[in-house]
Amino acid sequence: MAGASNPDHVEPVVSRPSRHRSRGSDTVSPAGSRVGGSSVTLPLSRRERTASLKAGAAPGSVSAGRASSCRSPNLGEQPLRPLVSTSIGSGKASGSGLRSLTATATPTPPTSQGVSIKHLGPGAAEILPLRAGTPFTVSAFQHIGDRKSQEDRFTVVPQLEPSNDGMPCAFFGVFDGTVGDFASESVKDLVIPKLFESPSWQALRQLPPARWGDQDSLVEGALREMYRSVDESLLERCSQSTQHYSTCTSVTLIVVGDMLAVGHLGDSRLIVGREVPGDAAVLIGEQMTVDHKPDQDSERRRIEQCGGMVERLVNHCNKPFIRGGDFTMRKALGEQPMQLQYSRAFGAKDLKIFGLSSIPDVKVLHTAGPDSIRVRFAILASDGLWDVLSAQDAVRTAQQAVSEGASPAQALVARALLDLSQRQAKSDNITAICVHFD
């Protein structure tokens, strides 16, 4: 959720609700994963997080801590019926109580297995390591950090569509909201329908074996068409709801057979852990996306050509922000125009005319064949994680968690929270998805 600024705005101190403990029951997901024990009640204060993790908590775990007294009656472990797509939107504390954590599902093909979602408290959710008849295991973990609300959203679809040739087909996405959660909440509901509607995806589904060489271009085309269509729909929603600056970053991964197709906007990232040739035990962390920042030459050029500006803000450590050409006029009229720390994103309709772009960077790589790299991990996360961990740190943490039988996604978030606590620094919302390939 980092990235928006109102020069006159000072972030208030988050008030902490009264304490109580909560325990959940043990359940078993349809896929056989165990979910249960003490539910994790979050957020913890930085001091409590440090004490809890130093006291012997496993690298992939966070001990129970401070809980909100505003609890939704349906919080706790909630095994869902078998489904192929799970989109999670976490709640936020308010005077009227906690909005329920939600999950939406697309129709399930006959071969799909269950996804069990563990809700951990305000703004926190988890998918324990899941293997749904695929050549990979996926886990997800989300934490509110020191923010008042959870503006991240994520989508996990281990089996995207039935495949006639037996190739795995999956979709994963992380969406980091700014100026509220309107954009990220909308985008996580739009991505899969818009992907299925795209002409390139429909052509891919009907592709005969003799033309499988066209898969790369069709998947890349489907990603670009999906991003364009999602942004058009979101901008229409923003206009109808007067959400003039609501926006979100995006990082998505489509898996088709041995192909990995990555699309992204903004500063959410995807990294891979690849094997070193000749030594499968050694993994190298490699960043597959490059953050879109307003001061990059090509980004600044586009912004200025559209009448926007790039300004460095002293009260934000001199970081560059995109600002609309009407910024001064709106301030004079008593409005609160926003500025963004990234130059490409979904939404933010009042900055689109000033050069904010929704055209994603897309990269396609293969993990099989003589010239391919052997990928063991793909990690998608919001900037709350990448502000703390390097690509190599993330791969090493995930690898250790797998060797210990822990959730790599949870281990990544716990590692970031511990590092921030030791620095006495505040934590942003953090969401991580870890895909572990065989």
Side-chain angles (χ1 to χ4, degrees):
M1 64 186 291
S5 173
N6 176 350
D8 299 332
H9 175 71
V10 177
E11 184 175 4
V13 177
V14 179
S15 60
R16 302 289 184 182
S18 60
R19 304 185 182 193
H20 70 83
R21 295 285 185 179
S22 172
R23 292 192 177 271
S25 59
D26 287 350
T27 62
V28 178
S29 74
S33 302
R34 183 175 178 79
V35 182
S38 292
S39 62
V40 183
T41 51
L42 303 170
L44 298 170
S45 69
R46 292 194 300 278
R47 180 177 298 178
E48 288 172 323
R49 283 202 307 266
T50 303
S52 130
L53 291 165
K54 283 184 176 179
S61 66
V62 181
S63 300
R66 180 171 296 179
S68 168
S69 59
C70 303
R71 288 182 60 84
S72 170
N74 66 345
L75 283 177
E77 290 88 82
Q78 300 179 17
L80 300 183
R81 66 184 187 277
L83 48 90
V84 67
S85 170
T86 303
S87 300
I88 298 177
S90 293
K92 56 186 176 182
S94 68
S96 59
L98 177 70
R99 190 182 62 192
S100 300
L101 302 176
T102 61
T104 59
T106 60
T108 307
T111 57
S112 71
Q113 297 193 29
V115 175
S116 185
I117 307 169
K118 185 179 181 182
H119 298 305
L120 307 177
E126 175 183 32
I127 295 177
L128 293 173
L130 168 72
R131 188 181 184 87
T134 58
F136 56 78
T137 301
V138 61
S139 60
F141 199 88
Q142 184 176 75
H143 192 286
I144 198 170
D146 291 303
R147 301 289 184 172
K148 293 189 299 180
S149 62
Q150 176 60 267
E151 297 182 356
D152 287 358
R153 297 292 186 269
F154 66 93
T155 299
V156 170
V157 192
Q159 292 185 343
L160 192 57
E161 287 187 297
S163 176
N164 295 330
D165 53 21
M167 288 194 305
C169 191
F171 182 96
F172 310 99
V174 172
F175 315 104
D176 183 355
T178 305
V179 195
D181 61 5
F182 182 87
S184 55
E185 176 71 15
S186 298
V187 167
K188 63 96 175 169
D189 290 333
L190 287 167
V191 282
I192 298 301
K194 296 303 182 184
L195 177 65
F196 286 171
E197 292 173 8
S198 73
S200 293
W201 186 262
Q202 294 176 11
L204 178 69
R205 292 183 62 191
Q206 301 171 6
L207 194 68
R211 293 185 55 201
W212 279 0
D214 296 338
Q215 283 184 340
D216 287 22
S217 60
L218 287 174
V219 172
E220 179 176 348
L223 262 178
R224 294 188 182 280
E225 291 160 7
M226 180 196 76
Y227 271 75
R228 181 175 64 250
S229 183
V230 166
D231 193 55
E232 290 172 353
S233 295
L234 176 61
L235 289 176
E236 184 176 346
R237 292 185 182 190
C238 288
S239 179
Q240 293 172 351
S241 304
T242 64
Q243 296 283 339
H244 304 301
Y245 290 100
S246 185
T247 181
C248 73
T249 68
S250 172
V251 60
T252 57
L253 171 66
I254 294 180
V255 179
V256 179
D258 74 319
M259 182 200 310
L260 307 182
V262 181
H264 94 288
L265 299 170
D267 55 10
S268 294
R269 299 179 191 168
L270 184 146
I271 66 101
V272 297
R274 58 179 179 85
E275 291 181 358
V276 173
D279 191 350
V282 178
L283 300 183
I284 300 297
E286 183 177 347
Q287 187 173 324
M288 304 303 295
T289 59
V290 177
D291 296 353
H292 295 126
K293 296 297 184 181
D295 61 338
Q296 294 166 350
D297 289 344
S298 59
E299 301 295 294
R300 178 191 288 271
R301 191 180 308 116
R302 182 189 68 249
I303 291 167
E304 292 178 346
Q305 287 175 351
C306 292
M309 298 176 286
V310 177
E311 298 288 339
R312 292 187 176 272
L313 304 186
V314 176
N315 60 338
H316 284 268
C317 302
N318 211 34
K319 292 179 180 178
F321 283 71
I322 177 175
R323 173 185 287 185
D326 58 353
F327 182 86
T328 303
M329 179 190 70
R330 286 192 165 196
K331 290 287 291 182
L333 293 173
E335 299 182 22
Q336 294 186 339
M338 303 300 293
Q339 307 163 94
L340 296 178
Q341 199 175 322
Y342 41 79
S343 53
R344 299 194 195 189
F346 286 126
K349 76 176 188 66
D350 280 17
L351 285 175
K352 279 284 160 54
I353 60 172
F354 295 113
L356 182 74
S357 174
S358 61
I359 299 175
D361 282 342
V362 177
K363 182 175 291 187
V364 176
L365 64 149
H366 288 266
T367 60
D371 300 324
S372 302
I373 61 173
R374 181 73 170 90
V375 173
R376 298 300 305 278
F377 289 97
I379 300 170
L380 304 79
S382 55
D383 66 326
L385 185 80
W386 304 122
D387 286 345
V388 184
L389 301 184
S390 68
Q392 191 62 43
D393 289 337
V395 169
R396 190 178 296 116
T397 301
Q399 191 176 19
Q400 179 181 350
V402 169
S403 69
E404 296 172 351
S407 165
Q410 185 185 19
L412 287 163
V413 175
R415 166 75 185 277
L417 292 172
L418 177 58
D419 285 5
L420 287 164
S421 294
Q422 291 171 339
R423 300 179 194 177
Q424 296 296 302
K426 286 188 176 182
S427 170
D428 195 359
N429 295 157
I430 305 178
T431 298
I433 298 173
C434 183
V435 185
H436 177 215
F437 296 93
D438 294 346

